[in-house]
Amino acid sequence: MQSEIPKVYSPEAIEPRWARYWVDQKLYRPSDDGARPRFSLSLPPPNITGSLHMGHMLEHTEIDILMRWHRMRGENVLWLPGMDHASISTQMIVEREIGREALPDLEGPQARHAWQREGQRRRLEMGPEKFLERCWQWKEQNGDTIRRQMERMGASVDWTRARFTMDAAYSRAVIEVFVRLYEEGLIYRGHYIVNWCPRCGTAVSDLEVEHQDRAGHLWYIRYPFEDGSGHIVVATTRPETMLGDTAVAVNPNDTRYHRLIGRKVILPLLDRSIPVIGDSFVDPTFGTGAVKVTPAHDPNDFAIGQRHNLPGITVIDFDAHMTDDAGPYARLSREQARVAVVRDLEAAGLIEKIEDYKLSVAVCERCKTIVEPLLSKQWFVRMKPLAEPAIRAVEEGRIRIIPDNSRKVYLDWMYRIYDWCISRQLWWGHRIPAWYCDACGEVIVAREAPSSCPKCQSGTPRQDPDVLDTWFSSGLWPFATLGWPGQTDDLRRFYPNDLMIMGFDILFFWAARMIVLGLKFTEDVPFRELYVHALVRDAERQKMSKTKGNVLDPLEITEKYGTDAVRFALASSAAPGTDIAFSEDRVKGYRDFANKIWNAGRFILMNLGKLPAPALRHLGTTLDPIPAIGFDAVPHSEPESEALRLADCWIFSRLATVTREMNEDLAAYRFHEAAHTIYHFFWHELCDWYLEWVKPEVIKDSEGPRASAACINLARVFETALHLLHPFMPFLTEELWHQLPRSSEAQSISVTSFDLANPRAIDSVSEKQFQTVQELIVAARNVKAEMGLQKEKPSAQVASDDLRILELFRSHQEPILNLAGLEALNFVRGRLPAGAAAVPLASGCDLRLFYERAVDPASERLRLERDLAKVKNHLEQTDRQLKKESFRNRAPQEVVAGVERRRAELADQYARLAESLARLDGFPAEPKDSAGQVGPQP
RNA sequence: GGGCGAUUAACUCAGCGGUAGAGUGCUACCUUCACACGGUAGAAGUCAGAGGUUCGAAUCCUCUAUCGCCCACCA
C-alpha cells in the first residue's frame, strides 16, 4: 500500500502555509470572555532597524511556548506585539543612507564612515522637517522586517493590537508622562556634566557608555606656587584638560599638603592663578596626592567644583576640538592638543615624570568614539524618589524577578540609582514638550504647543529641539500599549501584565524604567513576574558578534532544518540563568526528532485510512472534543486483548505524569526540562514502546473491533502527545493534527480546549506491571546480543516462584515474543534445572535463552562473573551504609527503608547470579558462608 | 576596586544533599512493510584541586586555580 505522505518530513513544505494561516485567521486574539482567567504579556518591542537574531529567536521561542501552553490550558491569552522607534539607531541608518546617495562611488570599510559624516552634514542642511520625512519613509519601507520574520517563525501574537512607540496615541502617553513628572518636580532641566559623544553629536546616559581598557600614561606636572616658593606636582591622564583647571585639590587630612590649602599656584601655559583647596575626595595614596581640578571636563571635578564654588572653564567643544578658552591651543583636536600641551610643558621643564598607565576610557556604546564629559543643559529625571517604590515592589515580591541573581543585580543598581539624562540632541524621536519664551526666558512644559508665553504674552515660544531617550518611551510599554492614559477595556483586562521576558542586558535600561514608571503612573506593577533569559552564544561559548564573524543567522538555520527544530534546540538549552551554547548539531538532532514524529504520524494515518467507516466515525466522536489528559481508552472487548489493555493503561498514565511534569517545569521557566520530558516521552516511550507494542494489531488486515480499538487508542495517545509538543514545535504538530480525521471542522490545535491543567490520576499498578514486562524484554534482547543471536529467534525459559508474575508474562506473551525477538516462551515454576546459566531479573525471575548453536560456556561465565562483581560491589556499599548506627539513627526513615529495599534486591540478585554461575558445568559453588551472608536481612 | 557565574562521559550541557543523567559522537549487530533524519544492545566519568559541615556532598561552607560576565568617578 502506498501512502501519499512523504517519508521524510520537509518543514519548508508546510511551515509558511501555517504561518500565513495563523495570521490570517487572527487566531491569537484574546476573546471577550471575561470568565476565563487571562494571561497577558507585551513583547519587548524590537527596533525597527533590526532584523531577527538569535537573541530574539530565543526570547520569542520562550514566550511563544508559554503563550501557547497557557492558551491550551484554557486561559484567555494576550501577547501584544510592537516595535520601537530606536531613535539614535534609526537616525544613524537614515543619515548613512543619505550619505551613500551623495557619495555613491565609495566602497570598502572606510565608506561607512564617510557616508555617515556626509549624511550628518546633509541632515543639518536639510533641516528637521525633511529629515524626519525621510525617517518615516524609511520606517514604512524597512520597519517591518522583524514583523515578517516573527510571522514566519510562528509567534502567536495578536497582530491586530500591534503598537509602535511613535504612534499618535503612544506619543500622547509619552508627553503625558513627561508633563506630569515635570509638574511634580521629578523632571528638571539643568546645566550639568554629561557624557557627550562627539561623533553622534548628542548626550548619552551613563548606561550608554562602555568602558574599555587602554594603555595610556600618567603625566606628573609641576604647578609652581604664585609666590615663587617651589611647586606642587599633580598627576593626570589627560594633560590637555589642564587648560580648564580652576583649582588644585589635596586631602585636608594629608599632612604633607594640608598647610598648602588656600595658597595659589600658577596654571602653566596659561598663567592663570588658581587656588589649592582641600577636599576629602582626594586619595592621598594615589599619584602625588594632589589633583588638578577641571570642573567642566570631569564628573568628579565637577562635583568638587560645586562644593567649592569653582568656575568651570570649557576648553573642549562639542566637536571634540579645543575652544577659544584654550588660548593658543584653540581649534586643535583634543588629541593634537594633548601632544602640544605635553610638548610645551616639557619645553618649560614642568614635566616631572611620565609613567605608563592602564586606564579605562569611556566610549560611546554605539560608535565606540571616546566620550567627552561636557557641561551642557539637559533634561533629567530625578530617580531617587521614583526608585523607592520600585525597590519595595521587588523586595516585597509584588514583582518576582527570576532567576534570583537578576533580582539582586536589579536591587543593587536601584539602591545606588542616580539621575537619568533623558534629552538627546537627535531629531528622530519624541520631541521634548518644552517651549522657551525668547522674550522673558520662561520655560513652558505643556501637552499642547502654547501660542504665546503665558507669563509675558509675547510671541510664539520656541520648542526645545531635542528628543527623548528611547528608553523613556519604551518605559511606558506595558500600559501605553493598552491605551493609557485612557481608561480602556484592554487596560482593565490585561494590566498588569502577568509576565515580562527579556535579556539581562536590558535589565537596567528597560526593566528598571518600566517598573519605576509603571508604579508611578498606574499605581500598580507593570508585570507580576520578570523572567530574565540568558545570552545565546556560539558553539564555543563565544559571544556572537559581527566583528568576530561568528553570528549565526536564525533564519538561515531555520531554512535548513525548519523552525520547529531551531525552536526546540533553543528551548532544550534554555536552563534559567545559564547562557546557551548554540550548535547546529543540536538543531540537526531535533530535525531528526521532528522527522520521527512525522513518521509516527504517517504510520498512524496510513492505518487509520484502512479502518472501516463505522470505526472512523467512532474515532471522530472520541477525538473531538478532547477530554482530560489520561482519558480512558476505547475498551478492548475481547479477552485476548489483555496485552493491549495494559499498554493503553500504561501510556495513558504516563501521559498524565508527563503533563503534570511539564506543567511544573513551564511554571518555573524550566524550558529545558519540559522539552526533555516531551522529547523522551514521545520518542522513547510512545514510539519505541507503545507504538511497537500495538503495531502488530494495528497493521492486521482485520475489520474486527480489536484492531480498530488498537488503532483508535494509538491515534488518541498520539493526538494528546501532539498537544504537549505543540508549544515547542507548533508547525509540525498543527500539520499532523489537521491530518487526523475528525467529525467536525477544526480550526487549530492551539485553540482546542484541552484540559492540560488537570491531568488524570496516574495508574501505578499498570505502570509497575508494564515495567516488569519491559525488564524481561530488555534482558532477553541483551542476552541475545551478547550471544550473537541478533538474527536468530531463540526460545526462552522464565522461572519464578511467583505465579502472578508468570501469569503476567503469559498473558502478554505476544508482545514479549515480538519485541524481544523470541520464538517461544516457557514458564517454569520454581528454579531452573541444573546446567542452565540464567539472568536474574529485578522482578525476581530467572531468564534463560535456548538456541541450537548457542552458548559458549566460557563467555557465559565471563558475563556472569562480571555481573556478579558489579552487584557484589554495590551490595557491599549498601551493607557498609546500613551497618552504621549513625545512619540508621539520623537519616530519615524513608531513606533507610529505601536503602534496605535496595539491599534486599541486590542480595536476591546476587544469590541468583551465584546460583546461576554454580549451575554452569564444572564451576564450583560459592562458599556457603559467603552465600549465607547475602541472605535476606531479618 | 566591588559583585556574579562557570569548571560533571570524547564533545555540548542538565542535575544542585540520599544508588552519577541526556543529546551528539563512539563500538557491535540489524536495509523486518512509520522512520537509516531508523532500530537493538554496549563501552565510556576520583562530578577542577584542597580543606570543612553532615549519618551521607557533584550538590552546602571556606580557600586555591583556570575561564567568563556585570557594575565602578580613583585623577
Side-chain angles (χ1 to χ4, degrees), chain A residues 559-748:
Chain A
E559 223 159 276
K560 217 159 143 194
Y561 300 103
T563 309
D564 285 338
V566 179
R567 286 172 60 117
F568 207 94
L570 287 167
S572 72
S573 333
T578 19
D579 282 352
I580 292 171
F582 189 88
S583 81
E584 205 172 313
D585 277 356
R586 227 177 146 121
V587 182
K588 214 194 250 154
Y590 295 119
R591 187 266 323 257
D592 296 350
F593 177 53
N595 190 60
K596 183 77 183 175
I597 307 302
W598 176 258
N599 275 289
R602 183 165 168 265
F603 173 79
I604 292 164
L605 289 166
M606 275 161 46
N607 287 291
L608 282 174
K610 294 188 312 192
L611 287 187
L616 264 181
R617 264 203 300 284
H618 187 194
L619 178 72
T621 53
T622 52
L623 264 187
D624 62 356
I626 308 300
I629 299 282
F631 47 81
D632 300 318
V634 174
H636 296 284
S637 48
E638 300 173 18
E640 55 269 32
S641 299
E642 175 56 25
L644 294 175
R645 196 202 59 79
L646 176 64
D648 286 342
C649 292
W650 169 74
I651 198 80
F652 286 133
S653 177
R654 288 293 305 139
L655 265 174
T657 306
V658 163
T659 308
R660 203 163 281 134
E661 283 173 8
M662 290 178 76
N663 277 334
E664 283 169 21
D665 289 335
L666 290 177
Y669 308 103
R670 292 190 299 257
F671 299 96
H672 65 303
E673 300 273 15
H676 176 252
T677 299
I678 186 60
Y679 178 92
H680 183 266
F681 173 79
F682 219 134
W683 196 320
H684 298 301
E685 295 190 290
L686 201 163
C687 290
D688 287 354
W689 283 99
Y690 181 70
L691 193 148
E692 293 299 334
W693 183 289
V694 303
K695 186 189 266 180
E697 282 305 323
V698 169
I699 62 179
K700 234 176 232 171
D701 242 345
S702 102
E703 303 229 327
R706 190 171 157 191
S708 307
C711 200
I712 289 167
N713 285 337
L714 172 60
R716 295 178 65 178
V717 170
F718 183 69
E719 207 233 358
T720 314
L722 283 183
H723 277 88
L724 299 182
L725 180 61
H726 178 253
F728 298 85
M729 295 191 150
F731 292 100
L732 170 70
T733 50
E734 181 84 297
E735 171 69 19
L736 288 171
W737 186 83
H738 277 271
Q739 289 199 24
L740 287 171
R742 60 194 75 246
S743 55
S744 59
E745 199 53 41
Q747 201 184 12
S748 167

Side-chain angles (χ1 to χ4, degrees), chain A residues 178 182 188-189 377 379 432-438 440-446 450 453-455 461-462 464:
Chain A
F178 187 97
Y182 179 79
Y188 62 92
R189 186 173 186 239
K377 216 155 196 192
W379 290 92
I432 290 175
W435 286 261
Y436 309 109
C437 174
D438 288 330
C440 71
E442 177 73 352
V443 176
I444 308 130
V445 169
C453 173
K455 196 175 171 196
R462 186 169 47 76
D464 193 306

